[in-house]
Amino acid sequence: MPVEFLGIAATNDGSESTPRSGAAFDKEYTLRLARAHEDHGWDRVLFAYGSGAPDPAPAAAYVASRLERLQILLAHRPNVSYPTFAAKTFATLDQISDGRLTVHFITGGNDHEQAREGDTLTKDERYARTREYIGIVKKIWTTHEPFDHEGDHYRFHDFVSDVFPVQQPRPGVSFGGSSPAAYAAGGAEADIYCLWGEPLARTAEQIEAVEAAAKAAGRTEAPRIQVAFRPIIAPTEELAWEKAQRTVGAIRKRREAGLVRHHRRGTQGNPENTGSQRLLAIAEAGERYDRALWTPTAAATGGAGNSNALVGTPETVAQALLDYYDLGVDILSARGYDLLDDAIDFGRYVIPIVREEVARRDAERAARGTLAAVNG
């Protein structure tokens, strides 16, 4: 099966290890970073969402109107706009990008972060709302006659959009989460299910949970699986591990100095979302897993988002990514700590190795299939 690579479309050059050098929305840097991805073999970039961050939708439109090939993954939280409005926004962006849009729906795993923008629902209520929201957006994208909706979270009457996506029947829907409520919602509605990088055995368990949820929802095909990592690469293994230690040291220093804004934790001092709890538990159990997975970066951030690293030479990291491909992962998300330079290096030295090996495996699989058909 084909493999795709997802990078990050940051609007400034800051990261967990490095302070940004300019404004939160640096227009020139945003385009430069996106162009680096397009020029170095990446398929798609994520425009992430944060309560106080620049709005990702116009930033995505800005990049899409200036680049020809790079696809867009737009993160969106259902609490920030009504689904009728959001569906039109997405359709318009799909028009601007000539059909290069996928929408990543974020339910929100932290009550405090959600409350920053007035969202006071419980986590399970948020998942139910997201599931309803996605269903409405899909219907708006594909329905040319006015319709009514009477749901638990949204009610409207006689709505029909006058703008429709380029993609037919609609753009893709991306979703993530590691709780039973997440699996149920994403298994039912997502085209792509996103996971944070975990050891291979745990990733296999999550894939099984997503597939079971999709089957329970009556689907005949499960969502595609995406897994995210923070690659730390260098020409030799020794240099890669030295770089990894410098990186985690910089993360800890910034966090201890209070230079990184983070979510408040729950009443027991632990992250509220299941994904972060899983990352911290994995880090507590060990620093290194499988071929190249390294957990101190996740521990240093408090289990924040995509934070487990893959450390080694480009060849080592590529082989580690292929291990996940062998589990059924066909979208590989990667984001370094020096956003621009790491995107270029990963594109130059890791992506070609993975693509070549995937092509070889696919050709061998096709040849075996042909031979079996002839002999059968």
Side-chain angles (χ1 to χ4, degrees):
M1 59 184 174
V3 64
E4 296 181 8
F5 287 91
L6 170 70
I8 191 69
T11 59
N12 61 72
D13 60 355
S15 74
E16 298 92 332
S17 62
T18 309
R20 74 180 191 226
S21 62
F25 181 56
D26 181 333
K27 187 169 69 172
E28 287 73 24
Y29 182 84
T30 300
L31 182 58
R32 185 182 177 196
L33 179 61
R35 183 168 284 127
H37 283 85
E38 181 166 86
D39 290 345
H40 291 89
W42 298 78
D43 298 285
R44 183 182 288 116
V45 288
L46 167 66
F47 285 83
Y49 189 93
S51 59
D55 186 348
Y62 168 68
V63 166
S65 66
R66 286 159 176 79
L67 299 181
E68 296 181 354
R69 183 189 60 80
L70 193 66
Q71 297 176 55
I72 302 299
L73 179 59
L74 177 69
H76 180 76
R77 286 184 184 167
N79 61 291
V80 301
S81 68
Y82 215 69
T84 51
F85 175 84
K88 294 184 298 180
T89 299
F90 304 147
T92 304
L93 182 51
D94 200 53
Q95 291 281 346
I96 291 171
S97 66
D98 295 320
R100 287 177 281 150
L101 176 70
T102 300
V103 182
H104 179 64
F105 290 91
I106 303 174
T107 298
N110 183 279
D111 291 345
H112 177 62
E113 168 66 5
Q114 294 301 122
R116 283 171 173 161
E117 293 188 284
D119 188 7
T120 58
L121 297 184
T122 66
K123 187 170 74 169
D124 283 351
E125 289 172 336
R126 293 197 296 267
Y127 275 114
R129 178 183 61 191
T130 300
R131 188 168 179 174
E132 182 179 344
Y133 195 101
I134 294 173
I136 293 169
V137 169
K138 286 180 177 178
K139 188 169 183 179
I140 292 170
W141 281 340
T142 56
T143 301
H144 292 257
E145 298 296 330
F147 69 95
D148 301 339
H149 180 82
E150 294 281 347
D152 293 332
H153 298 279
Y154 303 102
R155 296 181 182 181
F156 55 86
H157 304 283
D158 198 40
F159 181 82
V160 63
S161 178
D162 196 33
V163 57
F164 291 90
V166 171
Q167 297 177 76
Q168 294 298 315
R170 58 172 177 80
V173 166
S174 172
F175 187 92
S178 299
S179 67
Y183 296 144
E189 296 291 348
D191 303 302
I192 299 169
Y193 201 99
C194 306
L195 303 171
W196 290 336
E198 295 187 3
L200 290 164
R202 286 177 173 260
T203 300
E205 292 170 359
Q206 287 197 287
I207 293 173
E208 289 179 5
V210 172
E211 291 175 344
K215 185 176 181 180
R219 297 178 62 175
T220 56
E221 292 187 8
R224 299 172 65 193
I225 301 296
Q226 171 184 304
V227 178
F229 303 96
R230 306 301 293 270
I232 301 175
I233 63 173
T236 68
E237 296 291 330
E238 182 180 6
L239 289 174
W241 286 104
E242 289 176 1
K243 182 178 178 180
Q245 293 295 342
R246 289 196 305 271
T247 300
V248 80
I251 294 171
R252 289 169 179 157
K253 184 176 180 180
R254 282 178 54 74
R255 188 174 176 87
E256 290 167 0
L259 298 175
V260 179
R261 190 180 191 193
H262 53 83
H263 307 319
R264 294 176 185 171
R265 299 199 171 194
T267 55
Q268 304 301 316
N270 296 315
E272 295 171 1
N273 62 307
T274 303
S276 291
Q277 293 170 8
R278 290 173 65 96
L279 293 184
L280 290 179
I282 292 166
E284 185 175 348
E287 288 193 357
R288 295 179 66 169
Y289 291 86
D290 305 320
R291 195 186 299 266
L293 191 73
W294 195 56
T295 65
T297 46
T301 62
N306 171 20
S307 50
N308 268 338
L310 291 177
V311 182
T313 63
E315 292 77 12
T316 295
V317 170
Q319 291 302 320
L321 291 170
L322 287 162
D323 291 338
Y324 288 89
Y325 174 81
D326 289 339
L327 290 181
V329 177
D330 66 343
I331 303 177
L332 301 168
S333 174
R335 171 164 55 104
Y337 289 96
D338 184 327
L339 301 179
L340 181 61
D341 288 347
D342 286 347
I344 293 171
D345 286 347
F346 189 90
R348 282 176 174 169
Y349 304 118
V350 178
I351 289 178
I353 297 174
V354 176
R355 290 200 193 281
E356 182 178 355
E357 179 60 22
V358 166
R360 185 187 68 79
R361 294 182 186 190
D362 287 350
E364 288 183 351
R365 189 178 299 112
R368 288 195 298 269
T370 301
L371 182 62
V374 171
N375 293 334

